[in-house]
Amino acid sequence: MKKYILALALTVVSLCCSLSSWGANRATKVYLFGFAASFNDSTVYFTEVQELDSAYIDSKTKFLYSRENYSYQLRDHLTAAGANTPTCVTCFALKRKDIDKKYANLKKKYTKGGKFIVKEVKSTDFHYQAIKPEE
């Protein structure tokens, strides 16, 4: 009886582990843009809204898989271009109108009042590269 319970417990644990890695399993088209700011100066950066055909969305949380690494791509690009310690954020949506709304709201906050120097990062200079989940 103890062997049966132990075997059942191991089966449940292995099933749970396999389901947790199953979250980001399909490439999906997403729209995203990047925002960067530095605590050392008043310059902020916005990338253009970009379409990425092969991004992965976690099926449970509906979050972009490895979103922090997309932000690191932008940070590395801006640092190479001479930006001083940028803190980067990547915003995404599955629909173009949703990302356009997020973009407009965030940009409005930083252009209003003239307190910040807003710089555009063109798609010809920087484009996000898709990140695949590790198997």
Side-chain angles (χ1 to χ4, degrees):
M1 182 69 169
K2 289 181 182 181
K3 289 181 181 180
Y4 176 73
I5 292 173
L6 181 61
L8 181 63
L10 289 175
T11 304
V12 170
V13 168
S14 66
L15 180 62
C16 289
C17 290
S18 66
L19 286 176
S20 67
S21 66
W22 181 62
N25 58 354
R26 272 190 326 166
T28 307
K29 178 168 66 170
V30 297
Y31 300 93
L32 40 78
F33 73 89
F35 167 77
S38 175
F39 295 111
N40 296 334
D41 64 15
S42 59
T43 305
V44 295
Y45 300 88
F46 284 90
T47 68
E48 295 176 339
V49 174
Q50 300 176 14
E51 181 179 319
L52 196 59
D53 287 332
S54 55
Y56 289 81
I57 302 293
D58 189 297
S59 62
K60 293 178 185 176
T61 63
K62 305 296 184 213
F63 234 59
L64 181 64
Y65 173 78
S66 194
R67 186 171 71 158
E68 69 280 1
N69 289 320
Y70 287 99
S71 297
Y72 293 151
Q73 289 178 20
L74 178 59
R75 182 198 63 192
D76 293 343
H77 169 76
L78 292 174
T79 303
N84 189 15
T85 62
T87 301
C88 301
V89 175
T90 300
C91 299
F92 76 98
L94 298 176
K95 297 179 183 175
R96 179 68 190 225
K97 71 174 189 165
D98 293 341
I99 198 70
D100 286 340
K101 186 176 179 180
K102 288 180 184 181
Y103 184 83
N105 287 338
L106 188 60
K107 194 158 188 180
K108 182 180 176 183
K109 288 180 183 179
Y110 284 94
T111 55
K112 187 177 180 182
K115 295 179 183 177
F116 296 96
I117 301 166
V118 178
K119 292 189 177 181
E120 296 284 333
V121 179
K122 300 292 181 189
S123 293
T124 55
D125 296 333
F126 170 75
H127 195 75
Y128 286 104
Q129 302 298 317
I131 298 172
K132 294 183 179 182
E134 296 176 4
E135 296 295 327

